Amino acid sequence: MTRIGSSHAADHDPLEGVTQTLDRTAAAFVSQLTSGLSPVTMTLAYLDWIAHLAISPGKQVQLSTKAMRKVGRIANYAIRRAGDAEAAPAIEPLPQDRRFADPAWTRQPFDLIAQAFLLNQQWWHAATTGIGGVSQHHEDMVSFAARQLLDVFAPTNFLATNPVLQRKIVETGGQCLVEGARHWWEDAQRLGRGEPPVGSEQFVVGETVAATPGKVVYRNDLIELIQYSPTTETVHPEPILIVPAWIMKYYILDLSPDNSLVRWLVGEGHTVFMISWHNPGSADRDLDMDDYRRLGPLAALDAIQAITGSDKVHGLGYCLGGTLLAITAAAMARDKDERLATLTLLAAQTEFSEPGELGLFIDEAQLNLLENMMWSRGTLDSGQMGGAFQILRSNDLIWSRILATYLMGEREEMSDLMAWNADGTRMPYAMHSQYLRQLFLGDDLAEGRFKVEGRAITLSALRQPMFVVGTERDHVAPWRSVHKIHWLTSAAIRFVLTSGGHNAGIVSEPGHAHRQFHVATRPLDGPALDPDDWLEQAETKDSSWWLEWGRWLAEHSSERIAPPSMGQADGAYRPLCDAPGHYVMER
């Protein structure tokens, strides 16, 4: 007697491939319409919030009371303000909120408008947080959505309620609106043609940025390896390998001559090698994290060892490149490969349980949409990633820019950092899916489940000295998340928390005004401190963290010797062309 389900033919569904393709295509279409945001996730978050609020009478009473108190506060302020132009405000903006900084916002009735908005904003924060039963992810999403809506309807965005804009129109006789319209048309045309923003043309790769002299000494399908020309008679024998993120181009670390980390390192007597990543297209859709590890840092280390003859290399990884370097180092430690003398991680996460506001875009439903959009294209475009980062700081990067550029007619002057930020790249489907699913969503690296060549790796195997940098205002890699490397390895760690954000905090050349950092060293096998406890104990210094890192590198380097040759005269690593090479030019 044949049992149901025992036939192999019965297990095969001839429509499976067709139905999967249909589902993927539909999800990719939805993702295009919603810019990768899952309407299902947003709906579930809203229902979770509103349903639990509906069954929380205490919270309802609290919110009602808060609303009445805030009405009382604005009324009290209005009465006091009527008799005293210097009356203390009912509420102060958050320190990072500069929208109401102009003195024009202290005049009536605009002061009342601003105060009412800030009190309303405060009430909505209370309304979307602290409700029992709502999952943390859903609470974060609802609170974030409320902030976005409030930012849209902020009084700064409208002519009738913005005294600064009104003053500008009067002062210019309306010419600012004409200039703003011209800026909008110019930007719209450039966007339609796929051209970079106005002013980017003054920052030419290889001439004004990414201009430190050097040679491309190795190239494969994924990287070009740049060796920079020495500028000192002697150098430390241990070269430095820099592994930048491939979410953007490498020259964030080699911007203009006066703020180039590469140029500074060369001037300090180091032999510097830089990975320049290929900008993937749809044909590269199947490149995964292991391809990036093998063809990136590992291939680069082989080349560096052959060129310099050094058995030891200082490794530096920035952002996603730092995560890849940590993975590479852990796999090397597992395999008894001891070529990495030290590790420097700049704004790089190795533990993803608290990824900051980027976590808003990472859950199963969001990943399903994003993966299917990448499946249909083969890559994730830089515009998609840039849009997510802009939403996280919509006050500064969207609405304030629209107000200044298109209404007040004041275009912000282009900087090297802004031009670099506009020079985006793509992410291959397989790699980015693996990165988001295994690291962001699963936290596999921190929890010992991430596999390299079929075997798990652990960051606890890292024993070389580490220099780790977090930045105070980082929306991409929050410093408290970066700090968790202390809990994953017992290696000696000098941790630096520097002023600035994810990019500007790293580009912090000596002499840069208003730079400050906190620093403390955890010895080998020493205890790991909570981030806030660490901050209390850390030393504060008013200067560039580059100087601290330079001293640390010198401590872990040998006596100087003559510089190595640029590549090999003959063999596999002959110089191929001048820096910055070809891959950085790919669009």
Side-chain angles (χ1 to χ4, degrees):
M1 180 177 177
T2 303
R3 291 180 300 170
I4 295 175
S6 63
S7 168
H8 176 73
D11 291 337
H12 176 67
D13 184 352
L15 294 177
E16 183 175 1
V18 176
T19 55
Q20 285 184 352
T21 300
L22 184 61
D23 287 346
R24 281 181 171 272
T25 304
F29 177 72
V30 171
S31 184
Q32 297 273 16
L33 293 178
T34 62
S35 299
L37 295 176
S38 170
V40 174
T41 293
M42 293 302 298
T43 301
L44 290 174
Y46 171 76
L47 291 175
D48 190 8
W49 168 70
I50 198 67
H52 283 94
L53 179 59
I55 59 172
S56 302
K59 184 68 172 181
Q60 294 174 31
V61 170
Q62 181 191 53
L63 292 175
S64 298
T65 304
K66 282 181 177 289
M68 288 187 289
R69 284 207 306 266
K70 292 185 188 306
V71 170
R73 286 169 66 184
I74 194 69
N76 176 265
Y77 172 73
I79 294 170
R80 289 186 293 108
R81 179 67 175 80
D84 180 6
E86 303 297 325
I91 183 173
E92 294 283 356
L94 294 172
Q96 68 271 21
D97 188 350
R98 304 291 299 166
R99 288 175 292 185
F100 306 107
D102 193 286
W105 286 103
T106 63
R107 299 201 320 264
Q108 291 183 326
F110 303 108
D111 58 342
L112 289 173
I113 293 172
Q115 292 284 288
F117 174 79
L118 292 172
L119 288 168
N120 187 38
Q121 183 176 258
Q122 192 180 64
W123 185 88
W124 273 104
H125 175 73
T128 54
T129 58
I131 300 172
V134 180
S135 75
Q136 187 62 54
H137 183 56
H138 286 165
E139 178 183 288
D140 291 342
M141 292 195 72
V142 171
S143 182
F144 177 77
R147 290 200 307 275
Q148 297 304 306
L149 286 173
L150 287 166
D151 287 345
V152 171
F153 295 107
T156 47
N157 297 339
F158 301 95
L159 173 58
T161 54
N162 188 333
V164 182
L165 178 56
Q166 293 175 12
R167 183 183 65 203
K168 183 74 172 181
I169 292 172
V170 171
E171 290 174 349
T172 63
Q175 187 62 31
C176 65
L177 296 177
V178 176
E179 286 296 307
R182 187 175 65 80
H183 292 331
W184 179 86
W185 179 243
E186 189 175 24
D187 290 349
Q189 286 182 307
R190 283 178 173 257
L191 183 64
R193 293 193 296 260
E195 296 176 355
V198 174
S200 299
E201 54 275 359
Q202 63 185 299
F203 298 100
V204 181
V205 175
E207 296 180 17
T208 50
V209 292
T212 303
K215 300 286 185 182
V216 173
V217 294
Y218 173 69
R219 180 186 295 127
N220 61 31
D221 291 340
L222 192 56
I223 72 164
E224 288 181 331
L225 183 66
I226 301 170
Q227 180 183 359
Y228 291 97
S229 303
T231 59
T232 55
E233 292 184 1
T234 59
V235 297
H236 294 287
E238 298 86 0
I240 298 173
L241 168 62
I242 301 179
V243 185
W246 53 96
I247 193 170
M248 297 296 285
K249 294 185 177 177
Y250 82 84
Y251 64 91
I252 175 69
L253 301 176
D254 185 25
L255 283 172
S256 303
D258 61 344
N259 62 2
S260 166
L261 178 62
V262 168
R263 188 179 291 263
W264 180 79
L265 282 171
V266 171
E268 292 293 303
H270 294 283
T271 301
V272 180
F273 291 82
M274 173 75 76
I275 287 177
S276 175
W277 299 99
H278 163 58
N279 192 4
S282 58
D284 303 304
R285 61 184 299 123
D286 294 325
L287 289 171
D288 61 13
M289 288 289 288
D290 204 54
D291 292 318
Y292 273 79
R293 180 189 66 89
R294 288 185 305 100
L295 299 175
L298 278 186
L301 283 170
D302 290 340
I304 291 169
Q305 192 170 23
I307 292 168
T308 66
S310 176
D311 292 330
K312 295 291 185 179
V313 177
H314 297 301
L316 180 154
Y318 176 36
C319 186
L320 179 53
T323 305
L324 179 66
L325 181 62
I327 290 171
T328 303
M332 291 173 67
R334 180 198 65 189
D335 299 337
K336 306 295 189 275
D337 185 339
E338 300 180 347
R339 284 180 289 176
L340 286 172
T342 66
L343 290 175
T344 297
L345 304 180
L346 309 181
Q349 291 173 284
T350 50
E351 205 278 354
F352 293 84
S353 65
E354 295 178 321
E357 289 190 325
L358 272 181
L360 292 166
F361 306 108
I362 309 296
D363 59 32
E364 193 63 47
Q366 304 270 29
L367 283 187
N368 179 60
L369 279 190
L370 191 59
E371 285 176 334
N372 285 303
M373 183 175 67
M374 292 190 294
W375 168 83
S376 67
R377 300 175 177 177
T379 61
L380 181 67
D381 188 77
S382 62
Q384 184 82 31
M385 295 180 284
F389 295 140
Q390 285 188 327
I391 289 174
L392 293 179
R393 296 176 56 200
S394 60
N395 269 356
D396 300 328
L397 300 181
I398 298 178
W399 304 114
S400 293
R401 178 175 175 268
I402 290 174
L403 172 65
T405 308
Y406 303 138
L407 294 178
M408 301 187 72
E410 300 171 351
R411 188 184 289 283
E412 185 178 6
E413 184 179 356
M414 182 64 64
S415 67
D416 52 7
L417 191 58
M418 292 166 63
W420 164 82
N421 193 55
D423 191 7
T425 62
R426 294 172 291 275
M427 305 279 269
Y429 161 58
M431 184 286 304
H432 200 49
S433 175
Q434 183 181 13
Y435 172 64
L436 293 177
R437 188 168 290 280
Q438 293 190 21
L439 297 182
F440 260 94
L441 192 61
D443 207 12
D444 288 359
L445 179 60
E447 296 183 10
R449 295 189 300 271
F450 193 87
K451 293 184 177 181
V452 172
E453 296 179 341
R455 293 184 295 155
I457 60 170
T458 173
L459 296 177
S460 64
L462 301 179
R463 301 290 288 175
Q464 56 267 80
M466 302 178 71
F467 191 98
V468 182
V469 179
T471 65
E472 290 179 344
R473 299 191 305 275
D474 200 325
H475 294 267
V476 180
W479 79 266
R480 285 177 172 80
S481 178
V482 173
H483 184 271
K484 290 184 179 182
I485 186 69
H486 288 83
W487 301 343
L488 303 178
T489 173
S490 56
I493 298 175
R494 184 167 298 182
F495 190 86
V496 164
L497 175 62
T498 184
S499 56
H502 187 73
N503 297 322
I506 299 303
V507 183
S508 182
E509 70 282 0
H512 193 126
H514 311 301
R515 284 300 189 227
Q516 183 186 77
F517 65 91
H518 310 276
V519 59
T521 301
R522 195 273 302 274
L524 181 68
D525 295 323
L529 296 177
D530 173 87
D532 294 319
D533 291 338
W534 175 90
L535 186 57
E536 278 189 18
Q537 298 182 24
E539 180 183 2
T540 301
K541 297 185 179 182
D542 292 316
S543 64
S544 165
W545 67 264
W546 291 12
L547 300 174
E548 183 76 19
W549 183 48
R551 290 189 289 269
W552 181 87
L553 275 176
E555 292 171 7
H556 295 91
S557 299
S558 305
E559 292 296 321
R560 292 193 180 204
I561 59 173
S565 63
M566 294 294 291
Q568 293 177 319
D570 39 32
Y573 304 110
R574 295 189 303 273
L576 303 175
C577 63
D578 289 335
H582 300 311
Y583 283 175
V584 73
M585 304 295 185
E586 294 177 328
R587 300 291 182 181

